Coordinates of all heavy atoms in Angstrom, one line a residue:
M3 N -17.3 2.0 -0.7 CA -16.8 1.9 -2.1 C -15.3 1.6 -2.0 O -14.6 2.2 -1.1 CB -17.0 3.3 -2.7 CG -17.1 3.2 -4.2 SD -17.6 4.7 -5.0 CE -19.2 4.4 -5.4
T4 N -14.8 0.7 -2.8 CA -13.4 0.3 -2.7 C -12.6 1.1 -3.7 O -13.1 1.7 -4.7 CB -13.3 -1.2 -3.0 OG1 -13.7 -1.4 -4.4 CG2 -14.1 -2.0 -2.1
I5 N -11.3 1.1 -3.5 CA -10.4 1.8 -4.4 C -10.4 1.2 -5.8 O -10.5 2.0 -6.8 CB -8.9 1.8 -3.9 CG1 -8.9 2.6 -2.6 CG2 -7.9 2.3 -4.9 CD1 -7.6 2.5 -1.8
A6 N -10.5 -0.1 -5.9 CA -10.5 -0.7 -7.3 C -11.8 -0.4 -8.0 O -11.7 -0.1 -9.2 CB -10.4 -2.2 -7.1
R7 N -12.9 -0.3 -7.3 CA -14.2 0.1 -8.0 C -14.1 1.5 -8.5 O -14.6 1.8 -9.6 CB -15.3 -0.1 -7.0 CG -16.7 0.1 -7.7 CD -17.8 -0.3 -6.7 NE -19.0 0.1 -7.3 CZ -20.1 0.4 -6.6 NH1 -20.1 0.3 -5.3 NH2 -21.2 0.8 -7.2
L8 N -13.6 2.4 -7.7 CA -13.5 3.8 -8.1 C -12.5 4.0 -9.3 O -12.8 4.7 -10.2 CB -13.0 4.7 -7.0 CG -14.1 5.0 -5.9 CD1 -13.5 5.7 -4.7 CD2 -15.2 5.8 -6.5
Q9 N -11.4 3.3 -9.3 CA -10.5 3.4 -10.3 C -11.0 2.8 -11.6 O -10.6 3.2 -12.7 CB -9.2 2.7 -10.0 CG -8.4 3.4 -8.9 CD -7.2 2.7 -8.4 OE1 -7.0 1.5 -8.7 NE2 -6.4 3.4 -7.6
S10 N -12.0 1.9 -11.6 CA -12.5 1.3 -12.8 C -13.5 2.3 -13.5 O -13.9 2.1 -14.6 CB -13.2 0.0 -12.5 OG -14.4 0.3 -11.7
Q11 N -13.8 3.4 -12.8 CA -14.7 4.4 -13.4 C -14.0 5.5 -14.2 O -14.5 6.5 -14.5 CB -15.5 5.1 -12.3 CG -16.4 4.1 -11.5 CD -17.2 4.8 -10.4 OE1 -16.9 5.9 -10.0 NE2 -18.1 4.1 -9.8
H12 N -12.7 5.2 -14.5 CA -11.9 6.0 -15.4 C -11.6 7.4 -14.8 O -11.5 8.4 -15.5 CB -12.5 6.2 -16.8 CG -12.8 4.9 -17.4 ND1 -11.8 4.0 -17.8 CD2 -14.0 4.2 -17.7 CE1 -12.3 2.9 -18.3 NE2 -13.7 3.0 -18.3
A13 N -11.6 7.5 -13.5 CA -11.2 8.8 -12.9 C -9.7 8.7 -12.5 O -9.1 7.6 -12.5 CB -12.0 9.0 -11.6
D14 N -9.1 9.8 -12.1 CA -7.7 9.8 -11.7 C -7.6 8.9 -10.5 O -8.1 9.2 -9.5 CB -7.3 11.2 -11.4 CG -5.8 11.4 -11.1 OD1 -5.1 10.4 -11.4 OD2 -5.5 12.4 -10.5
P15 N -6.7 7.9 -10.6 CA -6.6 7.0 -9.4 C -6.0 7.6 -8.2 O -6.4 7.3 -7.1 CB -5.6 5.9 -9.9 CG -5.4 6.2 -11.4 CD -6.0 7.4 -11.7
E16 N -5.1 8.6 -8.4 CA -4.6 9.3 -7.2 C -5.6 10.1 -6.5 O -5.7 10.1 -5.3 CB -3.4 10.2 -7.6 CG -2.2 9.4 -8.1 CD -1.1 10.3 -8.5 OE1 -1.2 11.5 -8.3 OE2 -0.1 9.8 -9.0
F17 N -6.5 10.8 -7.3 CA -7.5 11.5 -6.7 C -8.6 10.6 -6.0 O -9.0 11.0 -4.9 CB -8.3 12.4 -7.7 CG -9.5 13.1 -7.1 CD1 -9.3 14.2 -6.3 CD2 -10.7 12.6 -7.4 CE1 -10.4 14.8 -5.8 CE2 -11.8 13.3 -6.8 CZ -11.7 14.4 -6.0
Q18 N -8.9 9.5 -6.6 CA -9.8 8.6 -6.0 C -9.3 8.0 -4.6 O -10.0 8.0 -3.6 CB -10.2 7.5 -6.9 CG -10.9 7.9 -8.2 CD -12.2 8.5 -7.9 OE1 -12.8 8.2 -6.8 NE2 -12.7 9.3 -8.8
T19 N -8.0 7.7 -4.6 CA -7.4 7.2 -3.4 C -7.4 8.3 -2.3 O -7.7 8.0 -1.2 CB -6.0 6.7 -3.7 OG1 -6.0 5.7 -4.7 CG2 -5.3 6.1 -2.4
W20 N -7.0 9.5 -2.7 CA -7.0 10.6 -1.8 C -8.4 10.8 -1.2 O -8.6 11.1 0.0 CB -6.5 11.9 -2.4 CG -6.6 13.1 -1.5 CD1 -5.8 13.5 -0.6 CD2 -7.7 14.0 -1.5 NE1 -6.3 14.6 0.1 CE2 -7.5 14.9 -0.5 CE3 -8.9 14.1 -2.2 CZ2 -8.4 15.9 -0.2 CZ3 -9.8 15.1 -1.9 CH2 -9.5 16.0 -0.9
S21 N -9.4 10.8 -2.1 CA -10.8 11.1 -1.6 C -11.3 10.0 -0.6 O -11.9 10.4 0.4 CB -11.8 11.2 -2.8 OG -11.9 10.0 -3.4
L22 N -10.9 8.8 -0.8 CA -11.3 7.7 0.1 C -10.6 7.9 1.4 O -11.2 7.8 2.5 CB -11.0 6.4 -0.5 CG -11.9 5.8 -1.5 CD1 -11.4 4.5 -2.1 CD2 -13.3 5.6 -1.0
L23 N -9.3 8.2 1.4 CA -8.6 8.4 2.6 C -9.0 9.7 3.4 O -9.1 9.7 4.6 CB -7.1 8.5 2.3 CG -6.4 7.2 1.8 CD1 -5.0 7.4 1.5 CD2 -6.6 6.1 2.8
H24 N -9.3 10.7 2.6 CA -9.8 12.0 3.2 C -11.2 11.7 3.9 O -11.4 12.2 5.0 CB -9.9 13.0 2.1 CG -10.4 14.4 2.6 ND1 -9.6 15.1 3.5 CD2 -11.5 15.1 2.4 CE1 -10.2 16.2 3.8 NE2 -11.4 16.3 3.1
A25 N -12.1 11.0 3.2 CA -13.4 10.7 3.8 C -13.2 9.9 5.1 O -13.9 10.1 6.1 CB -14.2 10.0 2.8
R26 N -12.3 8.9 5.1 CA -12.0 8.1 6.3 C -11.5 8.9 7.4 O -11.9 8.8 8.5 CB -11.0 7.0 5.9 CG -10.6 6.1 7.1 CD -9.5 5.1 6.7 NE -9.0 4.4 7.8 CZ -8.0 4.8 8.5 NH1 -7.3 5.9 8.2 NH2 -7.6 4.1 9.6
D27 N -10.5 9.8 7.1 CA -10.0 10.7 8.1 C -11.1 11.6 8.7 O -11.2 11.8 9.9 CB -8.9 11.6 7.6 CG -7.6 10.8 7.3 OD1 -7.5 9.7 7.8 OD2 -6.8 11.3 6.5
N28 N -12.0 12.1 7.9 CA -13.1 12.9 8.4 C -14.0 12.1 9.3 O -14.5 12.7 10.3 CB -13.9 13.5 7.2 CG -13.2 14.7 6.6 OD1 -12.3 15.3 7.2 ND2 -13.5 15.0 5.4
R29 N -14.3 10.9 8.9 CA -15.2 10.1 9.8 C -14.5 9.8 11.1 O -15.2 9.9 12.2 CB -15.5 8.7 9.1 CG -16.5 8.8 8.0 CD -17.0 7.4 7.5 NE -15.9 6.5 7.2 CZ -15.3 6.4 6.1 NH1 -15.7 7.1 5.0 NH2 -14.4 5.5 5.9
L30 N -13.2 9.5 11.1 CA -12.5 9.2 12.4 C -12.5 10.5 13.2 O -12.7 10.4 14.5 CB -11.1 8.7 12.1 CG -11.0 7.3 11.5 CD1 -9.6 7.0 11.1 CD2 -11.6 6.3 12.4
H31 N -12.3 11.6 12.6 CA -12.2 12.9 13.4 C -13.6 13.2 14.0 O -13.7 13.6 15.1 CB -11.7 14.0 12.5 CG -11.6 15.3 13.2 ND1 -10.7 15.5 14.2 CD2 -12.3 16.5 13.1 CE1 -10.8 16.7 14.6 NE2 -11.7 17.3 14.0
G32 N -14.6 12.9 13.2 CA -16.0 13.1 13.7 C -16.3 12.2 14.9 O -16.9 12.7 15.9
A33 N -15.8 11.0 14.8 CA -16.0 10.1 15.9 C -15.3 10.5 17.2 O -15.8 10.4 18.3 CB -15.6 8.7 15.5
E34 N -14.1 11.0 17.0 CA -13.3 11.5 18.1 C -14.0 12.7 18.8 O -14.1 12.7 20.0 CB -11.9 11.9 17.7 CG -11.0 10.7 17.3 CD -9.7 11.2 16.6 OE1 -9.6 12.4 16.3 OE2 -8.8 10.3 16.4
L35 N -14.5 13.6 18.0 CA -15.2 14.8 18.5 C -16.4 14.4 19.3 O -16.7 14.9 20.3 CB -15.5 15.8 17.4 CG -14.3 16.5 16.9 CD1 -14.8 17.5 15.7 CD2 -13.6 17.3 18.0
A36 N -17.2 13.4 18.7 CA -18.4 12.9 19.3 C -18.1 12.3 20.7 O -18.8 12.5 21.7 CB -19.1 12.0 18.4
Q37 N -17.0 11.5 20.7 CA -16.7 10.9 22.0 C -16.3 11.9 23.1 O -16.6 11.7 24.2 CB -15.5 9.9 21.8 CG -15.2 9.0 23.0 CD -14.2 8.0 22.6 OE1 -13.4 8.1 21.7 NE2 -14.1 7.0 23.5
I38 N -15.6 12.9 22.6 CA -15.2 13.9 23.6 C -16.4 14.8 24.1 O -16.5 15.1 25.3 CB -14.1 14.9 23.0 CG1 -12.8 14.1 22.8 CG2 -13.8 16.1 23.9 CD1 -11.8 14.8 22.0
T39 N -17.2 15.2 23.2 CA -18.3 16.2 23.5 C -19.5 15.5 24.0 O -20.2 16.1 24.8 CB -18.6 17.0 22.3 OG1 -19.0 16.2 21.2 CG2 -17.4 17.9 21.9
K40 N -19.9 14.3 23.5 CA -21.2 13.7 23.9 C -21.1 12.7 25.0 O -22.1 12.4 25.6 CB -21.8 13.1 22.6 CG -22.1 14.1 21.5 CD -22.8 13.4 20.3 CE -23.1 14.4 19.3 NZ -23.5 13.8 18.0
H41 N -19.9 12.2 25.3 CA -19.7 11.2 26.3 C -18.9 11.7 27.4 O -18.1 11.0 28.0 CB -19.1 9.9 25.7 CG -19.9 9.3 24.6 ND1 -21.1 8.7 24.9 CD2 -19.8 9.3 23.3 CE1 -21.6 8.3 23.7 NE2 -20.8 8.6 22.8
H42 N -19.1 12.9 27.8 CA -18.3 13.5 28.9 C -18.8 12.9 30.2 O -20.0 12.9 30.5 CB -18.5 15.0 28.9 CG -17.8 15.7 30.0 ND1 -16.4 15.7 30.1 CD2 -18.2 16.3 31.1 CE1 -16.1 16.3 31.2 NE2 -17.1 16.7 31.8
D43 N -17.9 12.6 31.1 CA -18.2 12.1 32.4 C -18.4 13.3 33.3 O -17.5 14.1 33.5 CB -17.1 11.2 32.9 CG -17.4 10.6 34.3 OD1 -18.5 10.7 34.7 OD2 -16.5 10.0 34.8
P44 N -19.7 13.5 33.8 CA -19.9 14.6 34.7 C -19.2 14.6 36.0 O -19.2 15.6 36.7 CB -21.4 14.6 34.8 CG -21.8 13.2 34.6 CD -20.8 12.6 33.7
N45 N -18.6 13.4 36.4 CA -18.0 13.3 37.7 C -16.5 13.2 37.4 O -16.0 12.1 37.1 CB -18.5 12.1 38.4 CG -17.9 11.9 39.7 OD1 -17.2 12.7 40.2 ND2 -18.2 10.8 40.4
P46 N -15.7 14.3 37.5 CA -14.3 14.2 37.3 C -13.5 13.3 38.3 O -12.5 12.7 38.0 CB -13.8 15.7 37.4 CG -14.9 16.4 38.1 CD -16.1 15.6 37.9
A47 N -14.1 13.2 39.5 CA -13.4 12.3 40.5 C -13.5 10.9 40.1 O -12.7 10.1 40.4 CB -14.1 12.6 41.9
G48 N -14.6 10.5 39.4 CA -14.8 9.1 39.0 C -13.7 8.7 38.0 O -13.2 7.6 38.0
D49 N -13.4 9.7 37.1 CA -12.3 9.4 36.1 C -11.0 9.2 36.8 O -10.2 8.3 36.5 CB -12.3 10.5 35.1 CG -11.3 10.1 34.0 OD1 -11.4 9.0 33.5 OD2 -10.5 11.0 33.6
A50 N -10.7 10.0 37.8 CA -9.4 9.9 38.5 C -9.4 8.6 39.3 O -8.4 7.9 39.4 CB -9.3 11.1 39.5
L51 N -10.5 8.2 39.9 CA -10.6 6.9 40.6 C -10.3 5.8 39.7 O -9.5 4.9 40.1 CB -12.0 6.8 41.3 CG -12.2 5.5 42.0 CD1 -11.3 5.4 43.2 CD2 -13.6 5.4 42.5
H52 N -10.9 5.8 38.5 CA -10.6 4.7 37.6 C -9.1 4.6 37.2 O -8.5 3.6 37.0 CB -11.5 4.7 36.4 CG -12.9 4.4 36.7 ND1 -14.0 4.9 36.0 CD2 -13.5 3.6 37.7 CE1 -15.1 4.5 36.5 NE2 -14.8 3.7 37.6
Q53 N -8.6 5.8 37.0 CA -7.1 5.9 36.6 C -6.3 5.3 37.8 O -5.3 4.6 37.5 CB -6.7 7.3 36.3 CG -7.3 7.8 35.0 CD -6.9 9.3 34.8 OE1 -6.2 9.9 35.5 NE2 -7.5 9.9 33.7
L54 N -6.6 5.6 39.0 CA -5.8 5.1 40.1 C -6.0 3.6 40.2 O -5.0 2.9 40.5 CB -6.3 5.8 41.4 CG -5.9 7.2 41.6 CD1 -6.5 7.8 42.9 CD2 -4.3 7.3 41.8
Q55 N -7.2 3.1 40.0 CA -7.4 1.6 40.1 C -6.6 0.9 39.0 O -6.0 -0.1 39.2 CB -8.9 1.3 40.0 CG -9.7 1.7 41.2 CD -11.2 1.6 41.0 OE1 -11.7 1.5 39.9 NE2 -11.9 1.6 42.1
T56 N -6.6 1.5 37.8 CA -5.9 0.9 36.7 C -4.4 0.9 37.0 O -3.7 -0.1 36.7 CB -6.2 1.7 35.4 OG1 -7.6 1.6 35.1 CG2 -5.4 1.1 34.2
W57 N -3.9 2.0 37.5 CA -2.5 2.1 37.9 C -2.1 1.1 38.9 O -1.1 0.4 38.8 CB -2.2 3.5 38.4 CG -0.7 3.7 38.8 CD1 0.3 4.0 38.0 CD2 -0.2 3.5 40.1 NE1 1.5 4.0 38.7 CE2 1.2 3.7 40.0 CE3 -0.8 3.2 41.3 CZ2 2.0 3.7 41.1 CZ3 0.0 3.1 42.4 CH2 1.4 3.4 42.3
A58 N -3.0 0.9 39.9 CA -2.7 -0.1 41.0 C -2.7 -1.5 40.4 O -1.8 -2.3 40.8 CB -3.8 0.0 42.1
R59 N -3.6 -1.8 39.5 CA -3.6 -3.2 38.9 C -2.4 -3.4 38.0 O -1.8 -4.5 38.1 CB -4.9 -3.3 38.0 CG -6.1 -3.7 38.8 CD -7.2 -4.1 37.9 NE -7.6 -3.2 36.9 CZ -8.5 -2.2 37.0 NH1 -9.2 -2.1 38.1 NH2 -8.8 -1.4 36.0
R60 N -1.9 -2.4 37.3 CA -0.7 -2.5 36.5 C 0.5 -2.7 37.4 O 1.4 -3.5 37.1 CB -0.5 -1.3 35.6 CG -1.4 -1.2 34.5 CD -1.2 0.0 33.6 NE -2.2 0.1 32.5 CZ -2.5 1.2 31.9 NH1 -1.9 2.3 32.2 NH2 -3.4 1.2 30.9
Q61 N 0.6 -1.9 38.5 CA 1.7 -2.1 39.4 C 1.7 -3.5 40.0 O 2.8 -4.1 40.1 CB 1.6 -1.0 40.5 CG 2.0 0.4 40.0 CD 3.4 0.5 39.6 OE1 3.7 0.5 38.4 NE2 4.3 0.7 40.5
A62 N 0.6 -4.0 40.4 CA 0.5 -5.3 41.0 C 0.9 -6.4 40.0 O 1.7 -7.3 40.4 CB -0.9 -5.6 41.5
R63 N 0.5 -6.2 38.8 CA 0.9 -7.2 37.7 C 2.4 -7.1 37.5 O 3.0 -8.1 37.3 CB 0.1 -6.9 36.5 CG 0.4 -7.7 35.3 CD -0.1 -9.1 35.5 NE 0.2 -9.9 34.3 CZ 0.4 -11.2 34.3 NH1 0.4 -11.9 35.4 NH2 0.6 -11.9 33.2
E64 N 2.9 -5.9 37.5 CA 4.4 -5.8 37.2 C 5.2 -6.4 38.4 O 6.2 -7.1 38.1 CB 4.7 -4.3 37.1 CG 6.2 -4.0 36.7 CD 6.4 -2.5 36.5 OE1 5.5 -1.8 36.0 OE2 7.5 -2.1 36.9
K65 N 4.7 -6.2 39.6 CA 5.4 -6.8 40.7 C 5.3 -8.4 40.7 O 6.3 -9.1 41.0 CB 4.8 -6.3 42.0 CG 5.3 -4.9 42.4 CD 4.7 -4.5 43.7 CE 5.1 -3.1 44.0 NZ 4.5 -2.6 45.3
Q66 N 4.1 -8.9 40.2 CA 3.9 -10.3 40.1 C 4.9 -10.9 39.0 O 5.5 -11.9 39.2 CB 2.5 -10.6 39.8 CG 2.2 -12.0 39.6 CD 0.8 -12.3 39.1 OE1 0.1 -11.4 38.7 NE2 0.3 -13.5 39.2
M67 N 5.0 -10.2 37.9 CA 5.8 -10.6 36.8 C 7.3 -10.6 37.3 O 8.1 -11.5 37.0 CB 5.7 -9.8 35.6 CG 4.3 -9.9 35.0 SD 3.9 -11.5 34.3 CE 5.0 -11.6 32.9
Q68 N 7.7 -9.6 38.0 CA 9.1 -9.5 38.5 C 9.4 -10.6 39.5 O 10.4 -11.3 39.4 CB 9.3 -8.2 39.1 CG 10.8 -8.0 39.5 CD 11.0 -6.6 40.2 OE1 10.1 -5.9 40.5 NE2 12.3 -6.3 40.4
A69 N 8.5 -10.9 40.4 CA 8.7 -12.0 41.4 C 8.7 -13.3 40.6 O 9.5 -14.2 41.0 CB 7.5 -12.0 42.4
S70 N 7.9 -13.5 39.6 CA 7.9 -14.7 38.9 C 9.2 -14.9 38.1 O 9.8 -16.0 38.1 CB 6.7 -14.7 37.9 OG 6.8 -15.9 37.1
A71 N 9.7 -13.8 37.6 CA 11.0 -13.9 36.8 C 12.2 -14.3 37.8 O 13.0 -15.1 37.5 CB 11.3 -12.6 36.1
I72 N 12.2 -13.6 38.9 CA 13.2 -13.9 39.9 C 13.1 -15.4 40.4 O 14.2 -16.1 40.5 CB 13.1 -12.9 41.1 CG1 13.5 -11.5 40.6 CG2 14.0 -13.4 42.3 CD1 13.3 -10.4 41.6
A73 N 11.9 -15.8 40.7 CA 11.8 -17.2 41.1 C 12.2 -18.2 40.0 O 12.8 -19.2 40.3 CB 10.3 -17.5 41.5
H74 N 11.9 -17.9 38.8 CA 12.3 -18.7 37.7 C 13.8 -18.8 37.6 O 14.4 -19.9 37.4 CB 11.7 -18.2 36.4 CG 12.1 -19.0 35.2 ND1 11.6 -20.3 34.9 CD2 13.0 -18.8 34.2 CE1 12.1 -20.7 33.8 NE2 12.9 -19.9 33.3
L75 N 14.5 -17.6 37.7 CA 16.0 -17.6 37.6 C 16.6 -18.3 38.8 O 17.6 -19.0 38.7 CB 16.5 -16.2 37.6 CG 16.2 -15.4 36.3 CD1 16.6 -14.0 36.4 CD2 16.9 -16.1 35.2
R76 N 15.9 -18.3 40.0 CA 16.4 -18.9 41.2 C 16.4 -20.4 41.0 O 17.3 -21.1 41.4 CB 15.6 -18.5 42.4 CG 16.3 -18.8 43.7 CD 15.5 -18.2 44.8 NE 15.6 -16.7 44.8 CZ 14.6 -15.9 45.2 NH1 13.5 -16.3 45.6 NH2 14.8 -14.6 45.1
Y77 N 15.3 -21.0 40.5 CA 15.1 -22.4 40.4 C 15.6 -23.0 39.1 O 15.8 -24.2 39.0 CB 13.7 -22.8 40.6 CG 13.3 -22.4 42.1 CD1 12.4 -21.4 42.3 CD2 13.8 -23.2 43.1 CE1 12.0 -21.1 43.6 CE2 13.4 -22.8 44.4 CZ 12.5 -21.8 44.7 OH 12.2 -21.5 46.0
C78 N 15.7 -22.2 38.0 CA 16.1 -22.7 36.7 C 17.3 -21.8 36.2 O 17.1 -20.9 35.4 CB 15.0 -22.6 35.7 SG 13.6 -23.6 36.2
P79 N 18.5 -22.0 36.7 CA 19.6 -21.1 36.3 C 19.8 -21.3 34.8 O 19.5 -22.3 34.2 CB 20.8 -21.6 37.1 CG 20.4 -23.0 37.5 CD 18.9 -23.0 37.6
P80 N 20.3 -20.2 34.1 CA 20.5 -20.2 32.7 C 21.6 -21.3 32.3 O 22.5 -21.5 33.1 CB 21.1 -18.8 32.3 CG 21.2 -18.1 33.6 CD 20.7 -18.9 34.7
A81 N 21.3 -22.0 31.2 CA 22.3 -23.0 30.8 C 23.5 -22.4 30.2 O 23.5 -21.3 29.5 CB 21.6 -23.9 29.7
S82 N 24.7 -22.9 30.5 CA 25.9 -22.4 30.0 C 26.4 -23.1 28.9 O 26.1 -24.2 28.5 CB 26.9 -22.3 31.1 OG 27.1 -23.6 31.8

C-alpha cells in the first residue's frame, strides 16, 4: 500500500505515514532476527577463515592500488 493511496482514504496523513514506516521497520527487524537465529553457522572457525580470506584479498588489492598509483606518478608526473 502506498502513502498516496492511504492518504486518499481521508485518514490522518501523519498517522498513515507513521504506520507504513513502522510496519517497514518491523519487517526489517524481523528479517534481521531471522538471519541471526535461523542461519547460524555451526562452525565458528569457518566464519573466522572467511574473514581472514576477505582481509587478505582487501590487503592485496590495497597494495596493488598503491603500487599502481606510485607507478603512475613515476611515469606521468603531475602537470605544473
Side-chain angles (χ1 to χ4, degrees):
M3 209 173 254
T4 64
I5 293 174
R7 184 173 173 205
L8 285 174
Q9 289 175 348
S10 68
Q11 296 176 354
H12 305 293
D14 183 19
E16 290 179 8
F17 173 76
Q18 296 296 338
T19 302
W20 173 85
S21 66
L22 285 174
L23 294 176
H24 183 67
R26 178 183 172 269
D27 290 342
N28 283 342
R29 283 192 310 272
L30 290 175
H31 183 65
E34 290 170 351
L35 288 178
Q37 187 173 20
I38 291 169
T39 58
K40 295 180 182 174
H41 298 289
H42 177 67
D43 185 6
N45 182 7
D49 187 43
L51 177 63
H52 289 153
Q53 288 178 6
L54 287 173
Q55 290 172 344
T56 301
W57 178 84
R59 281 193 301 269
R60 286 181 184 159
Q61 288 294 100
R63 178 70 175 150
E64 187 176 322
K65 286 181 181 180
Q66 179 187 13
M67 294 296 290
Q68 184 179 11
S70 175
I72 290 172
H74 180 74
L75 288 175
R76 196 174 290 148
Y77 295 111
C78 303
S82 51

